[in-house]
Amino acid sequence: MTRGALTLALLVSGLFQANAQSRNNIIHQAEYDAKQVHFGYFMGVAMSNYRIRHNESFNSVANDTIKSITSPIDYGLKMGGLMNFYVNDRFDVKFVPTVAIYSRKLTVNENPDIIPSREQAWFEIPVFLKYKSLRRGNTRMNMFVGLRQGFETNAINLARRGRINRVEGLRRGDFSVEYGAGMELFRQFFKLAPEVHFSHGLRNMIDRADITSTDPTPLSVLGRLNTHTVTFYLFFE
């Protein structure tokens, strides 16, 4: 088990224990589901990289410079608001507009400086269908699946737009399928919902029309480049 997974398991276990010890047969927000719409906010920590697939050019005779391309995992931050729409006792629809900061990297020939990394600010629009279990005291579990549309905003580099280190051939929009699970802890004045999300990009992030070089380049020898992100969230409603 990795250090991150162990930390997450300990945190979830601690939340369960704290909820069980503080319950004392008091049901918090017993009429919570009587309201059709709930609002809140969230914070998240993401681990993200690219999933790489090479094409035939990678092993061709013409390519004598690019021997390996990898994408190490890097960390990012997410925050935003949420709107949760009650459907019935089993299902909700959740809309989660998000501001995210990523620093996805591509390492060529084990040299991270060939394609310089930079922080990227993204605006994302995810929509989820959530299945929720029966409530037991002040706790219930949930699972969800949805789609996420993202757009790179370059907000971090807005003040120095003329000096943005742009990577030729990378798209600035992404479309992902996302799923995960979490739990809902009802407190006296709010609901805390820790969740783990797994996001897999469906769009090929390589834009062939934007690659102008005729020589082999890191992106020209790749067939597909898809985003992959695992995020731990804390939602407050």
Side-chain angles (χ1 to χ4, degrees):
M1 180 179 291
T2 65
R3 183 180 299 178
L6 179 60
T7 302
L8 178 60
L10 291 174
L11 177 59
V12 171
S13 176
L15 288 171
F16 267 123
Q17 293 177 8
N19 185 66
Q21 293 171 0
S22 62
R23 183 162 51 188
N24 293 328
N25 297 322
I26 299 175
I27 303 299
H28 298 301
Q29 303 187 56
E31 301 300 322
Y32 178 88
D33 287 328
K35 190 174 181 179
Q36 293 295 316
V37 182
H38 289 91
F39 297 92
Y41 64 94
F42 65 89
M43 297 172 288
V45 177
M47 297 181 294
S48 185
N49 67 346
Y50 290 112
R51 290 291 186 257
I52 296 172
R53 183 181 300 174
H54 302 89
N55 60 22
E56 62 278 3
S57 300
F58 181 75
N59 295 316
S60 70
V61 176
N63 175 29
D64 59 355
T65 58
I66 303 171
K67 304 305 180 183
S68 68
I69 302 177
T70 59
S71 180
I73 293 175
D74 206 343
Y75 292 88
L77 297 174
K78 296 187 178 187
M79 61 189 70
L82 69 93
M83 290 181 286
N84 192 92
F85 300 91
Y86 174 86
V87 177
N88 56 40
D89 291 340
R90 281 287 185 267
F91 291 97
D92 287 349
V93 172
K94 187 160 67 173
F95 176 63
V96 191
T98 304
V99 174
I101 299 175
Y102 300 113
S103 183
R104 298 188 181 105
K105 300 176 181 178
L106 285 172
T107 300
V108 181
N109 298 337
E110 300 184 359
N111 184 351
D113 297 325
I114 294 180
I115 301 181
S117 64
R118 63 184 177 87
E119 290 185 337
Q120 305 167 356
W122 286 69
F123 178 68
E124 300 175 333
I125 309 173
V127 179
F128 300 104
L129 177 64
K130 181 176 73 175
Y131 172 82
K132 51 196 179 183
S133 69
L134 288 176
R135 178 171 171 172
R136 297 182 181 276
N138 292 313
T139 305
R140 70 182 174 198
M141 307 299 294
N142 64 64
M143 298 183 298
F144 46 85
V145 63
L147 298 172
R148 178 182 295 267
Q149 178 70 60
F151 309 92
E152 186 183 350
T153 66
N154 285 327
I156 294 176
N157 297 291
L158 189 60
R160 48 191 176 91
R161 181 174 294 275
R163 295 187 286 115
I164 292 177
N165 189 10
R166 183 174 179 274
V167 178
E168 180 184 274
L170 276 184
R171 300 184 189 274
R172 299 197 173 192
D174 193 18
F175 186 69
S176 309
V177 61
E178 190 162 328
Y179 57 89
M183 60 181 177
E184 302 173 24
L185 306 176
F186 293 88
R187 314 313 303 157
Q188 184 175 2
F189 299 109
F190 65 93
K191 183 184 77 174
L192 172 64
E195 295 180 357
V196 178
H197 290 226
F198 300 89
S199 177
H200 304 284
L202 301 178
R203 188 182 191 192
N204 189 354
M205 297 300 289
I206 299 175
D207 184 1
R208 302 290 177 194
D210 194 39
I211 300 176
T212 58
S213 175
T214 57
D215 297 324
T217 65
L219 294 183
S220 69
V221 300
L222 297 181
R224 290 192 65 85
L225 198 65
N226 298 94
T227 59
H228 174 73
T229 306
V230 179
T231 310
F232 175 72
Y233 289 99
L234 284 178
F235 289 89
F236 299 86
E237 297 181 38

